[in-house]
Structures are given as structure tokens and as C-alpha cells.
Amino acid sequence: GAVVSQHPSRVICKSGTSVKIECRSLDFQATTMFWYRQFPKKSLMLMATSNEGSKATYEQGVEKDKFLINHASLTLSTLTVTSAHPEDSSFYICSARKGTGVPSNTGELFFGEGSRLTVL
Amino acid sequence: GEDVEQSLFLSVREGDSSVINCTYTDSSSTYLYWYKQEPGAGLQLLTYIFSNMDMKQDQRLTVLLNKKDKHLSLRIADTQTGDSAIYFCAESLTGRRALTFGSGTRLQVQP
């Protein structure tokens, strides 16, 4: 099946610094990628939809100036957490859409392994 | 509105069947999914069902959908210790490209 890779898988940073997380579709082109945030024992919360070549679409309540998303190519989307704060510590997961239709089968929506961010 | 709910925890003995339940509120769901998440890992798609189907079976997995009650279940037959994980149900809605996830059910399989 298709592969989506996230890097880094774990990152620890100090408060006030910025951290960049990459999401790559390794063997297909993804016009759309999604960034989710997962809190402990909670569901995945959709943060934003990343569209190649255009601005990301953020969900209500997600600060676009804090969580910068760039989808510069068809295989790479990045999430930058700016001025990180301990409350930003979380598990961030990206998913990439293969094709343009509804995610109706195993071949269309793939998830990365996730990136655990710890802000000290 | 979008609201997908699951029970938080399920414990079964190895060899028994597990049934994980999910309810959703939006009747415009087109597809419903079950994902598995092992500790520290991303999500793995287990199976999915189209909203006009009642049942889907895939090896040890059986998905039942009651569209009238907006209830989805995942049955795992002959549950193994390797099935221990968090299971998320998710739905895709008409006109929305992202999936909406439930809170996840932690399945613990005891030897």
C-alpha cells in the first residue's frame, strides 16, 4: 500500500522555540493532506486541511499563526509549531489523500506514523 | 452536527470475540471506517463500509451498520493479544474531505 512518512517521530523542544514536522507521501502525489492532533485518551482533532499550492484551511479554534502549514509540493506538507508552549505538547498525525474522490477504499487515505511533540 | 462516540475501554480474554461499538449523529455519512492505533504509532485502516450496506466481513473482522439507529460495530473473532490497541471509528461526510473520528476504544486482550 501507499506510504506516508512523518519526521521527526519524536521531538523535545524548549518553550518559545519553533518546531517543524514534515509529512511526506513517499510513493504517490497528494494534492490534499490533513493534520490532526491527538490528545491523551482523546480522539483525533482535525487541525487543518493542507492544499498543495494554496493556503491551508484551518478548523475553527485552531490558530493559523501558531500552526503554520505549508504544502509546497505534491509530496510534502509541513506543520510548524511556532513559539511552542507546554500545552502544545501532543501527538500530531498527518494523513494524505491519494486521488481526489471520497476516501472510499483502502487506496485513498493514508496516515503517517505520527510525531510526538514535548515542549519543556 | 458531527459527533462520533465510542466507549473508552474494553477488556476480553484471548480467544473470545470482541465487539466495539460506535454511534454517530450525522445522517449524511457516506462511508464509515475502523482504524487501529498501536502504542506510539499512526493509524492503520482495518476496514470500511459504505453507508448503504448492513454488514461487511473481512477475515476475523465483521462490521455491522444500523443506519436507522446510527450505530456501527466492529466484531473481532478469536481475539489475540496482538489485537490490543486503540480502535477508532470514523465517518466521511458528504462535501467534507476530512474524516471525523470517535474518541477511540482501548481494547485490552488478556492471555
PDB file of all heavy atoms in Angstrom, chain A residues 93-105:
ATOM      1  N   ILE A  93      -0.590  13.940  13.884  1.00  0.00           N
ATOM      2  CA  ILE A  93      -0.666  12.927  12.831  1.00  0.00           C
ATOM      3  C   ILE A  93      -1.112  13.583  11.531  1.00  0.00           C
ATOM      4  O   ILE A  93      -2.062  14.378  11.527  1.00  0.00           O
ATOM      5  CB  ILE A  93      -1.663  11.814  13.197  1.00  0.00           C
ATOM      6  CG1 ILE A  93      -1.240  11.118  14.503  1.00  0.00           C
ATOM      7  CG2 ILE A  93      -1.772  10.787  12.085  1.00  0.00           C
ATOM      8  CD1 ILE A  93      -2.217  10.042  14.953  1.00  0.00           C
ATOM      9  N   CYS A  94      -0.443  13.228  10.463  1.00  0.00           N
ATOM     10  CA  CYS A  94      -0.881  13.734   9.162  1.00  0.00           C
ATOM     11  C   CYS A  94      -1.490  12.580   8.374  1.00  0.00           C
ATOM     12  O   CYS A  94      -1.207  11.399   8.624  1.00  0.00           O
ATOM     13  CB  CYS A  94       0.269  14.362   8.377  1.00  0.00           C
ATOM     14  SG  CYS A  94       1.432  13.180   7.689  1.00  0.00           S
ATOM     15  N   SER A  95      -2.332  12.924   7.443  1.00  0.00           N
ATOM     16  CA  SER A  95      -2.830  11.932   6.504  1.00  0.00           C
ATOM     17  C   SER A  95      -2.823  12.549   5.122  1.00  0.00           C
ATOM     18  O   SER A  95      -2.953  13.773   4.969  1.00  0.00           O
ATOM     19  CB  SER A  95      -4.234  11.444   6.869  1.00  0.00           C
ATOM     20  OG  SER A  95      -5.186  12.460   6.707  1.00  0.00           O
ATOM     21  N   ALA A  96      -2.645  11.708   4.131  1.00  0.00           N
ATOM     22  CA  ALA A  96      -2.534  12.193   2.758  1.00  0.00           C
ATOM     23  C   ALA A  96      -3.560  11.499   1.889  1.00  0.00           C
ATOM     24  O   ALA A  96      -3.781  10.287   2.002  1.00  0.00           O
ATOM     25  CB  ALA A  96      -1.127  11.945   2.230  1.00  0.00           C
ATOM     26  N   ARG A  97      -4.178  12.290   1.041  1.00  0.00           N
ATOM     27  CA  ARG A  97      -5.185  11.773   0.129  1.00  0.00           C
ATOM     28  C   ARG A  97      -4.559  11.412  -1.209  1.00  0.00           C
ATOM     29  O   ARG A  97      -3.898  12.223  -1.829  1.00  0.00           O
ATOM     30  CB  ARG A  97      -6.253  12.854  -0.075  1.00  0.00           C
ATOM     31  CG  ARG A  97      -7.199  12.628  -1.233  1.00  0.00           C
ATOM     32  CD  ARG A  97      -8.235  11.610  -0.892  1.00  0.00           C
ATOM     33  NE  ARG A  97      -8.975  11.984   0.287  1.00  0.00           N
ATOM     34  CZ  ARG A  97      -9.970  12.869   0.271  1.00  0.00           C
ATOM     35  NH1 ARG A  97     -10.321  13.474  -0.826  1.00  0.00           N
ATOM     36  NH2 ARG A  97     -10.601  13.133   1.385  1.00  0.00           N
ATOM     37  N   LYS A  98      -4.807  10.202  -1.603  1.00  0.00           N
ATOM     38  CA  LYS A  98      -4.361   9.752  -2.926  1.00  0.00           C
ATOM     39  C   LYS A  98      -5.572   9.819  -3.834  1.00  0.00           C
ATOM     40  O   LYS A  98      -6.560   9.155  -3.596  1.00  0.00           O
ATOM     41  CB  LYS A  98      -3.820   8.321  -2.857  1.00  0.00           C
ATOM     42  CG  LYS A  98      -3.271   7.773  -4.165  1.00  0.00           C
ATOM     43  CD  LYS A  98      -2.730   6.367  -3.933  1.00  0.00           C
ATOM     44  CE  LYS A  98      -2.127   5.799  -5.200  1.00  0.00           C
ATOM     45  NZ  LYS A  98      -1.613   4.419  -4.972  1.00  0.00           N
ATOM     46  N   GLY A  99      -5.528  10.657  -4.844  1.00  0.00           N
ATOM     47  CA  GLY A  99      -6.705  10.845  -5.669  1.00  0.00           C
ATOM     48  C   GLY A  99      -7.543  11.996  -5.144  1.00  0.00           C
ATOM     49  O   GLY A  99      -7.173  12.674  -4.173  1.00  0.00           O
ATOM     50  N   THR A 100      -8.695  12.188  -5.715  1.00  0.00           N
ATOM     51  CA  THR A 100      -9.488  13.361  -5.367  1.00  0.00           C
ATOM     52  C   THR A 100     -10.897  13.022  -4.911  1.00  0.00           C
ATOM     53  O   THR A 100     -11.653  13.895  -4.541  1.00  0.00           O
ATOM     54  CB  THR A 100      -9.594  14.319  -6.574  1.00  0.00           C
ATOM     55  OG1 THR A 100     -10.165  13.594  -7.669  1.00  0.00           O
ATOM     56  CG2 THR A 100      -8.234  14.845  -6.980  1.00  0.00           C
ATOM     57  N   GLY A 101     -11.259  11.760  -4.916  1.00  0.00           N
ATOM     58  CA  GLY A 101     -12.630  11.427  -4.537  1.00  0.00           C
ATOM     59  C   GLY A 101     -12.800  11.246  -3.039  1.00  0.00           C
ATOM     60  O   GLY A 101     -11.900  11.498  -2.256  1.00  0.00           O
ATOM     61  N   VAL A 102     -13.953  10.794  -2.644  1.00  0.00           N
ATOM     62  CA  VAL A 102     -14.237  10.492  -1.245  1.00  0.00           C
ATOM     63  C   VAL A 102     -13.309   9.344  -0.823  1.00  0.00           C
ATOM     64  O   VAL A 102     -13.082   8.429  -1.607  1.00  0.00           O
ATOM     65  CB  VAL A 102     -15.713  10.060  -1.077  1.00  0.00           C
ATOM     66  CG1 VAL A 102     -15.972   9.563   0.327  1.00  0.00           C
ATOM     67  CG2 VAL A 102     -16.630  11.205  -1.417  1.00  0.00           C
ATOM     68  N   PRO A 103     -12.781   9.406   0.394  1.00  0.00           N
ATOM     69  CA  PRO A 103     -11.910   8.295   0.830  1.00  0.00           C
ATOM     70  C   PRO A 103     -12.720   7.029   0.978  1.00  0.00           C
ATOM     71  O   PRO A 103     -13.169   6.688   2.049  1.00  0.00           O
ATOM     72  CB  PRO A 103     -11.341   8.794   2.160  1.00  0.00           C
ATOM     73  CG  PRO A 103     -12.280   9.821   2.638  1.00  0.00           C
ATOM     74  CD  PRO A 103     -12.854  10.460   1.420  1.00  0.00           C
ATOM     75  N   SER A 104     -12.928   6.348  -0.109  1.00  0.00           N
ATOM     76  CA  SER A 104     -13.888   5.249  -0.125  1.00  0.00           C
ATOM     77  C   SER A 104     -13.241   3.882  -0.081  1.00  0.00           C
ATOM     78  O   SER A 104     -13.928   2.896   0.009  1.00  0.00           O
ATOM     79  CB  SER A 104     -14.725   5.337  -1.406  1.00  0.00           C
ATOM     80  OG  SER A 104     -13.896   5.256  -2.537  1.00  0.00           O
ATOM     81  N   ASN A 105     -11.952   3.815  -0.138  1.00  0.00           N
ATOM     82  CA  ASN A 105     -11.345   2.494  -0.111  1.00  0.00           C
ATOM     83  C   ASN A 105      -9.944   2.591   0.473  1.00  0.00           C
ATOM     84  O   ASN A 105      -9.453   3.664   0.761  1.00  0.00           O
ATOM     85  CB  ASN A 105     -11.308   1.889  -1.509  1.00  0.00           C
ATOM     86  CG  ASN A 105     -10.540   2.745  -2.491  1.00  0.00           C
ATOM     87  OD1 ASN A 105      -9.388   3.119  -2.243  1.00  0.00           O
ATOM     88  ND2 ASN A 105     -11.167   3.105  -3.579  1.00  0.00           N
TER      89      ASN A 105
END
